[in-house]
Amino acid sequence: MIDYQIAIPSYRRPTKLITETLSTLKRNNASLDRVTVFVADSAEKQIYDKTLENSGFSAPVIVSQPGLINSRIWYNTQYYTPGTKVLNLDDDIAGLHIKQNNGLKPYAGDLDRLAAKGFQVCENTKARLWGINPVANGLFLKPTITVGLRYICGIFHGSYAGDPALCGHDRVRQSSGEDFETTLRSFKLYKGVVRIDGYAPKTKYFAQGGIMAELGGKQQREQDHQRQLASIVSRFPAYSKLYAKSDGTPNIKLKIVTHGKLNWI
C-alpha cells in the first residue's frame, strides 16, 4: 500500500467538511487516519473540533495560517517531513465521478488505487505534481493519463512536501488562482505535470466559505480572482493566456504540451 497523507485546508466550513469531503473519503475506502485538517486560528480549531466530535468522524485539526496559500505553504514546510507524499483536498468534495458513455457515474473504487497511480506516474516521469480532470462532464473525461502541461486543479491534487514549486521563497502568496500558479511552476521546474483524465470531482466552484470568506465576500472574490489571474499570466506568458468564460468569469487557458499518454482507468 502506498504511504501518503491527506491534507484538507478548511475555512468556515466545518459541516461541509463532514458531509462532503470526509463522507466522500469514507465512501471511497480511504484510511481516515491519514487525514489532517488545517484551519486558520485557534477559534476555528475549537469550532472544528466540536463539530467533528459530534459527527462521528475523527481527524486532527491543526492551526496553520490564515489564507489558503499560506496554509498550504505552512503544512508543506512546517508539518510534513520533506518528501512526504501529500494528497491535497478541498473541504467540499461531494464525490468523485468517472465516465459512463458520454455521462458520469460515481467512482465507487478505492481512493488508494487512484492516489497510488498518480504518485507512481510522478515517480516514473520525474514529475512532482498530479491531479484529475477539473470538469465533471463525461464529454471531457478520457481513459488516459497525460504527462506534459495540463491544468491541475487545487481541489484534488497530489504533491510532495517541501517542493519549491509549492513553497519556494519566490512563491507569490495569492489564494485566487493558486492552482494555476502551482501547475505552471511545477511544469517549469520539472518539465511536466501528470493528469489522470478519467476522474473528476463533484464540487461547486466559488462556494460560500473558503476563499470567498477569506477575501471578504463574493464581489471581493471576483475582483481578486481577475487581478490574480492576470498577474499569473504576466509571469508565464509563453504558457498561459487570460480569457472570459461564457458567463464573463475570467479564467486561464494553458498551452497544451504533451510529452506522453498512458491508457488507464
Side-chain angles (χ1 to χ4, degrees):
M1 181 180 294
I2 186 173
D3 183 17
Y4 71 101
Q5 297 297 309
I6 299 173
I8 309 175
S10 186
Y11 185 57
R12 296 188 181 178
R13 294 199 286 216
T15 300
K16 192 172 287 290
L17 166 71
I18 291 161
T19 60
E20 299 197 357
T21 297
L22 292 183
S23 295
T24 295
L25 291 176
K26 184 177 180 180
R27 282 195 304 273
N28 291 116
N29 303 313
S31 300
L32 295 182
D33 57 1
R34 301 181 189 275
V35 174
T36 305
V37 179
F38 296 93
V39 297
D41 53 43
S42 57
E44 285 280 292
K45 174 177 167 56
Q46 289 182 0
I47 294 169
Y48 276 75
D49 280 337
K50 184 175 181 180
T51 306
L52 281 165
E53 182 181 352
N54 295 332
S55 72
F57 283 99
S58 177
V61 179
I62 303 298
V63 176
S64 57
Q65 289 188 354
L68 176 60
I69 188 60
N70 293 329
S71 181
R72 288 208 201 282
I73 291 172
W74 186 89
Y75 68 68
N76 270 286
T77 57
Q78 304 298 316
Y79 188 76
Y80 294 118
T81 302
T84 299
K85 297 177 181 69
V86 182
L87 179 59
N88 308 266
L89 304 180
D90 275 12
D91 57 10
D92 59 347
I93 300 174
L96 294 174
H97 290 302
I98 58 175
K99 187 181 183 77
Q100 184 175 51
N101 299 321
N102 286 329
L104 300 168
K105 68 176 182 179
Y107 173 59
D110 290 349
L111 183 73
D112 282 354
R113 178 175 182 265
L114 182 56
K117 194 65 177 182
F119 285 115
Q120 176 192 328
V121 177
C122 281
E123 300 288 331
N124 291 346
T125 61
K126 309 302 181 185
R128 305 293 283 176
L129 179 69
W130 69 271
I132 60 177
N133 202 306
V135 182
N137 183 325
L139 294 174
F140 294 101
L141 301 187
K142 308 292 182 183
T144 55
I145 300 174
T146 303
V147 181
L149 178 58
R150 296 294 192 277
Y151 170 47
I152 303 300
C153 187
I155 290 170
F156 185 114
H157 69 280
S159 59
Y160 295 78
D163 182 0
L166 294 165
C167 50
H169 69 278
D170 58 339
R171 175 72 199 233
V172 177
R173 293 198 174 213
Q174 89 288 0
S175 290
S176 291
E178 54 91 21
D179 46 8
F180 280 107
E181 179 93 12
T182 298
T183 299
L184 288 159
R185 284 173 61 89
S186 193
F187 174 77
K188 184 177 179 181
L189 275 173
Y190 305 111
K191 312 306 179 187
V193 300
V194 173
R195 196 170 77 183
I196 302 176
D197 300 312
Y199 298 75
K202 181 181 179 182
T203 190
K204 183 177 180 181
Y205 293 93
F206 287 83
Q208 293 294 327
I211 296 177
M212 190 176 296
E214 173 190 333
L215 296 173
K218 182 178 180 180
Q219 183 177 359
Q220 292 88 337
R221 167 78 161 109
E222 291 174 349
Q223 291 172 350
D224 184 74
H225 187 68
Q226 183 164 2
R227 182 171 59 252
Q228 298 297 353
L229 293 193
S231 179
I232 292 167
V233 169
S234 73
R235 289 192 289 279
F236 301 93
Y239 293 101
S240 62
K241 67 178 182 179
L242 197 64
Y243 75 99
K245 297 166 70 173
S246 59
D247 62 359
T249 303
N251 202 14
I252 290 177
K253 183 176 183 179
L254 299 182
K255 179 180 179 180
I256 294 177
V257 178
T258 304
H259 297 323
K261 284 196 174 188
L262 307 171
N263 290 320
W264 187 81
I265 191 69

